[in-house]
């Protein structure tokens, strides 16, 4: 029997062998949700001029300025810069307009009363120089780094790209991924169940997890338990896809044909079997064209744990996404641990009155029991040990 790979070794081996998917340029409106692969710098100062922040009037402030000011024109948003003639004059202004030449303060319309061609300051109006002016380059100066490679492009990032004239964006290539379920007992969600059959669910769970990471080039396939068919279908899938995520057929049973089929198609095994529970049978290898192949166990909890702990982080890293900082939680209660295997225990998390993130374990009865997973947000990873991990222990937490 082959030696088990530790969790940390498995993580390191995947990182060492995982291919990069490269980058491509896409129009801005196609970049949302993608992973940025370029540095983006400020095209100009932000804001690019002294910007008015309130509707009202622009004035030249002084300690002896009059309470009545004559309107001599207007400075609207989008207009070329106007000039304020004298200290007894004012220009009507709108939010977003350039501050007029010669003006150094803005009085909001709420503190003014119109009287013919004049504005009269209200009794409680006490303007100061510089008020309600968003100074040029106050947000950032031209050339400042705004976005770094590895960021996922959401609403805020898209706004910055547009504001800085990035019409075409360099993003990570989205890999083509096949999620493959194996087993004669599996039927599609819309089919009636025959005797001894169950509906496929692992592929739906894994596809949902990948979509949370913005991965949309995903297809789902099913392979029956036949050695020749398994080898042929894997060969076809390797030709069409960058990543294979298989579920089932990877253990040591007499109908577990996946490892042999992968070897027959030139997929080089990096490791098989990890010292963990659930998910010990997991297999990882690299195809002849650099395809990444994750062969997950068939039991639902095992498959989702392995996809979350290994496949998803590896796919994010292959697109250039930096590894996130670990999330740490405190156990709310004692948890049984395995003496020789790392334990992955589903848990719900919630902050307590001291601000600590507490984990409330919801152990599965078996690695096939996924009915309780919707009550959890992820799982804690506990090292091997004798007896129990005590309440109050700190553990790494991985979200679904």
């Amino acid at each position: 029997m082959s030696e088990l790979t530790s969790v940390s070794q498995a993580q390191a081996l995947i990182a060492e062998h995982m291919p990069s998917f490269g980058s491509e340029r896409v129009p801005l409106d196609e970049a949302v949700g993608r992973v940025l692969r370029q540095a983006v710098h400020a095209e100009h100062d932000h804001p690019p001029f002294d910007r008015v922040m309130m509707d009202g009037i622009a004035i030249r402030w002084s300690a002896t300025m009059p309470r009545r000011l004559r309107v001599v024109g207007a400075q609207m948003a989008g207009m070329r810069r106007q000039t304020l003639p004298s200290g007894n004059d004012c220009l009507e202004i709108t939010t977003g307009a350039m501050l007029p030449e010669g003006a150094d303060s803005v009085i909001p319309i709420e503190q003014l009363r119109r009287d013919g061609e004049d504005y009269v300051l209200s009794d409680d109006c006490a303007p100061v120089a510089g008020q309600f002016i968003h100074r040029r380059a106050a947000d950032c100066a031209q050339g400042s780094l705004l976005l770094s490679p590895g960021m996922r492009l959401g609403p805020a990032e898209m706004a910055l790209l547009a504001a800085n004239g990035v019409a075409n964006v360099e993003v990570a290539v989205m890999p083509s991924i096949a999620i493959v379920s194996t087993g004669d007992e599996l039927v599609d969600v819309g089919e009636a169940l025959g005797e001894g059959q169950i509906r496929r669910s692992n592929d739906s769970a894994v596809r949902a997890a990948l979509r949370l990471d913005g991965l949309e080039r995903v297809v789902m396939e099913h392979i029956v338990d036949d050695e020749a068919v398994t080898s042929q279908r894997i060969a076809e899938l390797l030709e069409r896809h960058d990543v294979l995520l298989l579920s089932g057929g990877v253990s040591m049973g007499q109908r577990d044909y996946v490892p042999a089929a992968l070897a027959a198609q030139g997929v080089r095994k990096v490791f098989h079997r990890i010292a963990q529970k659930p998910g010990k049978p997991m297999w990882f290898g690299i195809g002849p064209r650099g395809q990444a192949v994750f062969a997950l166990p068939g039991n639902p909890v095992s498959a989702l744990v392995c996809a979350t702990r290994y496949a998803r982080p590896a796919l994010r890293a292959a697109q250039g996404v930096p590894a996130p900082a670990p999330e740490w939680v405190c156990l709310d209660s004692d948890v049984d641990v395995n003496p020789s295997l790392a334990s992955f225990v589903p848990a719900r998390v919630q902050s307590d009155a001291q601000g600590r993130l507490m984990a409330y374990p919801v152990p599965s009865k078996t690695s096939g029991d996924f009915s309780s997973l919707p009550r959890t947000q992820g799982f804690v990873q506990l090292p091997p040990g004798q007896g129990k991990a005590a309440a109050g222990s700190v553990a790494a937490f991985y979200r679904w």
Side-chain angles (χ1 to χ4, degrees):
M1 184 177 294
S2 62
E3 183 178 348
L4 297 179
T5 303
S6 71
V7 171
S8 60
Q9 288 173 332
Q11 183 176 348
L13 286 168
I14 292 172
E16 178 185 342
H17 291 86
M18 194 71 186
S20 170
F21 300 127
S23 62
E24 61 181 347
R25 286 200 170 272
V26 300
L28 178 61
D29 62 357
E30 296 178 14
V32 64
R34 303 287 292 273
V35 176
L36 184 66
R37 291 297 293 266
Q38 68 177 91
V40 177
H41 296 85
E43 179 188 34
H44 49 72
D45 293 338
H46 288 264
F49 48 81
D50 289 344
R51 175 180 172 273
V52 171
M53 297 175 65
M54 299 286 285
D55 291 349
I57 60 173
I59 65 169
R60 181 179 292 115
W61 183 88
S62 74
T64 59
M65 61 178 289
R67 306 294 290 181
R68 177 183 288 268
L69 298 163
R70 182 169 60 97
V71 179
V72 295
Q75 175 82 68
M76 303 291 111
M79 287 178 57
R80 295 176 66 87
R81 193 178 192 191
Q82 306 295 302
T83 299
L84 180 62
S86 74
N88 293 330
D89 298 329
C90 68
L91 289 171
E92 292 184 300
I93 46 87
T94 59
T95 302
M98 298 181 73
L99 183 70
E101 180 75 28
D104 62 3
S105 187
V106 171
I107 300 178
I109 195 68
E110 294 83 0
Q111 298 177 6
L112 299 166
R113 176 175 57 85
R114 186 69 182 251
D115 184 14
E117 295 301 314
D118 298 341
Y119 274 109
V120 180
L121 279 60
S122 63
D123 293 341
D124 61 350
C125 179
V128 297
Q131 69 178 18
F132 302 116
I133 298 171
H134 190 188
R135 292 297 183 184
R136 177 173 181 165
D139 294 345
C140 64
Q142 181 181 17
S144 299
L145 179 64
L146 300 178
L147 300 173
S148 299
M151 290 181 164
R152 193 170 298 280
L153 299 176
E157 291 79 11
M158 293 294 289
L160 280 174
L161 289 170
N164 289 275
V166 185
N168 294 285
V169 191
E170 185 178 356
V171 297
V173 170
M174 190 177 294
S176 174
I177 303 172
I179 302 174
V180 186
S181 298
T182 67
D184 290 340
E185 76 279 14
L186 301 177
V187 299
D188 190 68
V189 62
E191 296 181 22
L193 289 177
E195 187 173 2
Q197 293 183 319
I198 59 173
R199 292 192 178 90
R200 286 161 41 196
S201 61
N202 288 356
D203 49 4
S204 293
V206 173
R207 181 171 65 174
L210 297 182
R211 284 181 171 174
L212 292 177
D213 292 332
L215 296 168
E216 295 289 347
R217 293 183 62 200
V218 178
V219 300
M220 299 196 302
E221 303 278 350
H222 176 224
I223 300 177
V224 297
D225 286 328
D226 180 278
E227 187 171 8
V229 170
T230 300
S231 184
Q232 178 184 345
R233 292 291 292 119
I234 285 177
E236 295 168 353
L237 292 167
L238 285 168
E239 283 296 315
R240 300 201 304 265
H241 301 286
D242 305 305
V243 180
L244 267 57
L245 281 165
L246 297 106
S247 171
V250 73
S251 190
M252 303 180 70
Q254 58 180 322
R255 293 170 70 84
D256 289 329
Y257 300 123
V258 167
L262 291 169
Q265 301 306 323
V267 181
R268 179 171 59 87
K269 180 183 75 173
V270 175
F271 65 79
H272 184 191
R273 302 174 76 242
I274 307 176
Q276 68 179 55
K277 183 179 180 181
K280 183 167 70 172
M282 181 176 156
W283 190 103
F284 173 73
I286 298 296
R289 293 188 297 103
Q291 309 98 316
V293 180
F294 299 84
L296 314 177
N299 281 325
V301 178
S302 301
L304 190 54
V305 161
C306 288
T308 301
R309 185 65 180 84
Y310 303 108
R312 287 178 64 191
L315 291 171
R316 290 194 292 262
Q319 294 183 89
V321 179
E327 189 170 9
W328 300 99
V329 296
C330 292
L331 296 181
D332 174 70
S333 57
D334 294 350
V335 182
D336 291 329
V337 294
N338 190 287
S340 57
L341 304 175
S343 297
F344 294 151
V345 182
R348 64 180 181 88
V349 292
Q350 183 176 329
S351 296
D352 67 6
Q354 287 74 48
R356 299 177 302 173
L357 189 61
M358 303 298 296
Y360 301 85
V362 185
S364 301
K365 298 180 180 67
T366 69
S367 58
D369 171 27
F370 60 104
S371 59
S372 61
L373 293 188
R375 302 199 304 272
T376 68
Q377 288 81 46
F379 57 88
V380 292
Q381 178 179 320
L382 304 173
Q386 300 296 324
K388 299 178 182 294
S393 300
V394 175
F397 183 72
Y398 298 89
R399 293 184 183 268
W400 298 125

